[in-house]
Amino acid sequence: MQDIYFYYKLIDGFQNSEEEFNGLYEDLGECIDSLAFLVNTIWQEGIKDDPWNYYAETLGIKFITQLSSLKNLSKGTNLVFNTFSKSINVIDVSSLYILIRSLIENYLIFYYLYIENVSKEEKRARWIVYEISGLKSRRKILDPKIVYEEKRIKLESEKLQIDSLTQELNNNIFYQTLDPEVKKKIKKNNLAKIKDWSAIIIESNLSDRFRRAWKLYSNYSHNEYLSLMQIKDYWSKANDTLSVRNHELFNCLTLCSAVIIEYTNLYPEIKINYEGLDNHKKRIINLLNGVAKGAS
């Protein structure tokens, strides 16, 4: 990874140079590789836990995949126009922003379900609400006139699973303390979370920089007018997209570092493997984790 002064300079201000991009691109690859190594520990070490906790590994795989896609996207997208016998390479800012928004929300759901310091009963209640919502959503999406026997049997099995989880949720000590209106809203709207995204991001350990960025990226996911204004500007000022590219690679690096540190806090086996990493790499990851959480 780059030396620590490379990052001190970035924290002070970006130059938006090609050298800066190459350093960030290379280090994001190393960070992704380290995250994959640590997430794999859950399977490699055969860590024993409640079945629902193993989805922490699935979230890690999703994070690794999206980070890798974003890294590839940062190289630019080649637009080929056969009609004009022309091709141009552009930075697809819109897709970058949408991917990073998804990465932030991936971190937030990981934090909400597994990391936040709440009681065991509340953690379990959060998971049950999350799981029931997913199972019910699949039932709504799939055609009710399913002809495939295998899928029909699966849906019947999941209906029993929903009933069992609902009963467990109603008996959950934490869930019983929730305001009746909140419980009614969760049931009526099939909510996946007891809190909404805005509340989770405020209560998370991410810095205010990520909270502001998440709001901006949401404009792109929902095709708001703000996104159109910015895209129009980017097409007329191509150099501005190079600045976006470097800034977003840096944001992803800090987020990846934060995820790594949170995984080391999840299981002792992962922490042991993290401690075995190169000292320089750990120093950079710890610095960037601090940036993600507002310590720098």
Side-chain angles (χ1 to χ4, degrees):
M1 296 186 89
Q2 310 307 304
D3 65 59
I4 202 159
Y5 298 105
F6 174 85
Y7 287 103
Y8 284 146
K9 288 178 185 175
L10 283 185
I11 293 168
D12 286 339
F14 283 76
Q15 299 299 315
N16 300 318
S17 64
E18 199 64 27
E19 180 185 0
E20 193 175 79
F21 167 75
N22 290 334
L24 289 165
Y25 183 88
E26 179 184 321
D27 282 7
L28 181 57
E30 288 204 38
C31 200
I32 295 169
D33 187 65
S34 297
L35 178 58
F37 167 67
L38 296 172
V39 170
N40 186 58
T41 304
I42 298 174
W43 175 82
Q44 191 74 35
E45 297 294 329
I47 294 173
K48 304 298 181 186
D49 205 342
D50 294 326
W52 60 280
N53 282 326
Y54 290 131
Y55 281 96
E57 180 183 28
T58 310
L59 282 168
I61 292 168
K62 184 182 176 187
F63 210 99
I64 291 160
T65 305
Q66 289 186 321
L67 277 170
S68 299
S69 295
L70 189 140
K71 177 172 172 277
N72 292 334
L73 194 60
S74 72
K75 281 283 191 180
T77 299
N78 200 38
L79 302 180
V80 179
F81 304 102
N82 292 328
T83 303
F84 307 111
S85 301
K86 187 176 181 180
S87 67
I88 55 172
N89 187 274
V90 300
I91 306 299
D92 183 0
V93 173
S94 182
S95 295
L96 280 175
Y97 281 170
I98 290 170
L99 255 180
I100 299 172
R101 177 182 185 256
S102 182
L103 284 163
I104 292 172
E105 291 184 356
N106 200 32
Y107 177 88
L108 292 175
I109 204 69
F110 176 60
Y111 178 85
Y112 167 80
L113 291 173
Y114 297 109
I115 303 303
E116 190 174 4
N117 186 22
V118 297
S119 69
K120 189 175 181 180
E121 286 291 328
E122 180 172 351
K123 226 164 228 189
R124 180 59 183 161
R126 289 181 179 190
W127 175 264
I128 296 173
V129 169
Y130 186 67
E131 186 174 358
I132 288 174
S133 175
L135 291 170
K136 284 185 175 180
S137 293
R138 175 147 67 185
R139 296 180 70 81
K140 289 179 181 178
I141 293 167
L142 291 177
D143 188 340
K145 299 176 183 176
I146 291 175
V147 294
Y148 301 108
E149 182 70 7
E150 184 181 349
K151 287 186 178 180
R152 186 184 63 77
I153 292 172
K154 186 171 182 61
L155 281 179
E156 289 176 358
S157 170
E158 287 182 353
K159 173 63 172 64
L160 296 175
Q161 191 178 349
I162 290 169
D163 292 342
S164 175
L165 287 167
T166 301
Q167 184 176 356
E168 182 186 349
L169 183 63
N170 290 332
N171 292 329
N172 181 278
I173 295 171
F174 168 78
Y175 191 73
Q176 290 174 352
T177 66
L178 286 180
D179 186 295
E181 286 301 313
V182 173
K183 290 191 278 190
K184 183 180 177 181
K185 189 177 178 183
I186 290 170
K187 185 177 180 181
K188 180 181 178 182
N189 300 314
N190 190 33
L191 299 182
K193 305 178 297 301
I194 296 171
K195 303 176 181 180
D196 62 22
W197 285 120
S198 297
I200 294 172
I201 198 168
I202 288 170
E203 295 171 16
S204 77
N205 54 11
L206 289 180
S207 71
D208 187 57
R209 192 169 103 255
F210 274 107
R211 293 168 201 159
R212 292 195 305 271
W214 175 74
K215 289 179 181 178
L216 168 64
Y217 304 150
S218 296
N219 281 278
Y220 282 78
S221 291
H222 301 297
N223 279 303
E224 302 291 350
Y225 179 58
L226 172 59
S227 67
L228 299 183
M229 288 192 293
Q230 289 194 329
I231 289 170
K232 184 180 179 183
D233 288 341
Y234 287 139
W235 273 93
S236 61
K237 301 173 184 175
N239 284 339
D240 288 354
T241 63
L242 301 180
S243 170
V244 169
R245 176 189 67 175
N246 287 13
H247 276 79
E248 299 315 326
L249 276 181
F250 180 69
N251 282 340
C252 285
L253 251 173
T254 63
L255 198 58
C256 183
S257 299
V259 172
I260 285 174
I261 297 302
E262 295 303 347
Y263 268 100
T264 67
N265 296 326
L266 201 57
Y267 294 110
E269 294 89 342
I270 296 179
K271 192 171 187 66
I272 290 169
N273 279 350
Y274 175 73
E275 293 302 330
L277 295 179
D278 173 75
N279 284 331
H280 172 66
K281 182 179 286 188
K282 285 187 293 185
R283 189 181 180 196
I284 298 300
I285 289 171
N286 285 328
L287 171 70
L288 297 178
N289 169 61
V291 173
K293 294 170 183 174
S296 296

